[in-house]
Each structure stands twice: as C-alpha cells, then as structure tokens.
Amino acid sequence: MRKGILFVLTAPSGAGKTTLLDKGLKSVPLLEYSVSVTTRSPRKGEENGKAYWFTTRAEFEALLSKGEFLEHAVVYDNYYGTRRSVIEESLSRGKDMILDIDARGAVQVMEKKYPAVFVYIMPPSMKELERRLRGRATDSEEIIQKRLSLAREEMTYADRYDYVVVNDDLQTAFEEIRAIILAERLKVERNRERIEKIRESR
Ligand code: ADP
Ligand code: 5GP
C-alpha cells in the first residue's frame, strides 16, 4: 500500500477555502481533512472536532512544548496548529490528507522538507475578497480591515507553492483542486508497486 499524500491548502481568509472544502473536497474518496487545534472561539454553528478542535492557550502551549505540532502559527492573535501524530497515523494508513493552513504554517512544512503538495487558492481580486468578507458577516469591521491588509501580505507566499487555483467560479475552482489531487495520485513515482505488479502479471 502506498503512503498517503499530504496536500497543503492555503488561501487568504475570505477567498472561499471553507466553501470549497464543504462543497465536497472533504468527500473526495480516500481523502481526510486534518482538523487543526485552535485557541480562537468557535463561530456560530462551528462544532468542536469538525472544523477545529477548540482549546485553551495553556493546553495549546503544553502540546507545543511537547513538540506535538508539525506546524503552528499565530493568526489574528490566536494559535492554530496541526498535530503531527494525527497526520502521520493517517498517511501511514495510505489515506491522503488535506491541511488547511496559513502560509507561515505551510512554509514550516516546506522548510522541514516534509513531503507535501502545496496548493494556493486566490480570490479573483482584492475587491471581490472584500465583498466576500463582508458578505460572510461573521467578523467586525475592524477584523475585516485586518484580514484585508493581511491578505495582501499572505498572497506574496503564493510563489513558493506548487499549484495556484483562482476561486472565481466556485465549480471551476472545485474541479481544479480535484484535478490536482487526482493527477498527484497518478504520478509514476507513487505507483511503482502497481506498475510492477501489472508487468509481472500473466
Ligand atoms: P475562507 O474559508 O477562505 O475564509 P469562506 O469559504 O468563508 O472563506 O468564503 C467567504 C465568503 O465568500 C462566503 O460568504 C462564501 O459564501 C463566499 N464565496 C466563496 N467562494 C465563492 C465564489 N467562488 N464566488 C462567490 N462567493 C464565494
Ligand atoms: P479561521 O479562523 O478564519 O478559520 O482561520 C484563519 C486562518 O488560520 C486561515 O488562514 C487558516 O488557513 C489558518 N489556519 C487554520 N488552521 C491552521 C493550522 O493548523 N495551522 C496554521 N498555520 N494555520 C491554520
């Protein structure tokens, strides 16, 4: 059985990553969504263990000092992190994993030379990003302004990724991400055993 593939997805807040994930990326066969740990408070309707594991600062810092995070970052004054043990367990079972993390977290994964496929999701424009942030109506004006200025900075990291998907039309963006996942699974280097088996068969 081949080891699972780690897909790292990043987008500035409001670009539509949650919408894309909820649209069905979470139900691509053999693809598991990595649930991050965060110290931010749950938004309306967010259940513990679904989008995030919500925790306290003290608990987060305890895990951090134990080296339990593959990567972590402070985003808008809250901690977010990916538990290494959870990822490794799934990958070793041959499950592909999708990580929804910010660029600074993704850079930590790159710098650790952890094998992964990096996908950057961009909004079609800054104007549309602002419209989406307002339309979502979950954040205060102050937070929206903060997210907009951070989005510009965040998008400078896109150059370091393997793929870029512009979330203009939702269906198109969804199909593009699915195509990346499917193509990565078909790479020769990930299918050596399968190739060999076919060659050896009669
Ligand atoms: P993120 O998870 O990246 O912060 P969301 O998924 O919450 O962003 O999307 C932000 C807002 O933009 C939501 O109101 C969502 O319905 C809307 N949205 C997402 N994708 C699109 C799209 N392709 N076209 C129009 N609106 C979109
Ligand atoms: P939100 O609070 O809007 O759900 O997420 C804010 C930002 O934190 C998003 O850019 C999201 O990708 C990022 N994020 C969520 N989980 C993690 C994580 O485990 N690690 C890192 N580095 N960023 C994360």
Side-chain angles (χ1 to χ4, degrees):
M1 187 178 58
R2 73 157 168 83
K3 202 173 175 233
I5 310 167
L6 186 64
F7 292 96
V8 176
L9 237 68
T10 302
S13 180
K17 201 171 37 175
T18 309
T19 310
L20 282 162
L21 286 164
D22 290 347
K23 187 173 163 54
L25 283 180
K26 285 182 185 167
S27 54
V28 171
L30 296 173
L31 187 69
E32 281 183 7
Y33 176 75
S34 156
V35 179
S36 297
V37 182
T38 183
T39 61
R40 90 149 157 73
S41 334
R43 296 198 185 107
K44 220 174 141 201
E46 278 184 334
E47 273 173 58
N48 201 20
K50 248 182 133 190
Y52 290 105
W53 290 108
F54 298 98
T55 189
T56 61
R57 243 185 141 77
E59 272 171 4
F60 194 101
E61 283 168 352
L63 287 171
L64 192 58
S65 64
K66 278 195 252 165
E68 173 54 22
F69 291 109
L70 170 63
E71 63 73 40
H72 77 283
V74 181
V75 188
Y76 320 118
D77 307 324
N78 288 302
Y79 278 123
Y80 294 81
T82 305
R83 292 191 76 154
R84 185 191 293 272
S85 52
V86 176
I87 299 295
E88 290 187 342
E89 204 265 324
S90 288
L91 294 180
S92 67
R93 279 190 292 115
K95 292 275 196 285
D96 296 339
M97 296 240 36
I98 199 153
L99 286 193
D100 162 4
I101 62 177
D102 81 332
R104 279 163 299 161
V107 166
Q108 290 169 46
V109 182
M110 291 174 194
E111 286 175 350
K112 285 183 180 154
K113 305 259 189 274
Y114 204 93
V117 177
F118 296 89
V119 182
Y120 201 93
I121 301 167
M122 296 188 88
S125 65
M126 288 304 289
K127 212 173 176 73
E128 176 60 14
L129 181 64
E130 182 166 357
R131 198 192 65 78
R132 288 183 191 172
L133 283 171
R134 284 190 200 291
R136 190 165 68 178
T138 48
D139 297 313
S140 66
E141 181 59 29
E142 189 197 340
I143 298 273
I144 288 175
Q145 289 309 324
K146 211 166 160 184
R147 287 190 194 270
L148 278 172
S149 79
L150 281 172
R152 279 187 195 281
E153 186 196 320
E154 161 85 46
M155 286 193 288
T156 63
Y157 287 92
D159 298 335
R160 301 175 66 166
Y161 282 62
D162 300 309
Y163 295 96
V164 64
V165 170
V166 178
N167 179 22
D168 190 351
D169 174 65
L170 188 66
Q171 184 62 29
T172 306
F174 173 71
E175 293 301 338
E176 288 173 352
I177 298 170
R178 239 173 71 93
I180 293 166
I181 295 168
L182 300 182
E184 285 290 332
R185 285 178 174 172
L186 299 177
K187 282 202 159 156
V188 169
E189 71 203 39
R190 296 201 172 96
N191 289 277
R192 303 241 184 247
E193 246 177 74
R194 208 172 154 204
I195 295 169
E196 218 34 62
K197 237 180 168 168
I198 295 168
R199 280 190 189 136
E200 284 170 1
S201 69
R202 298 199 166 257

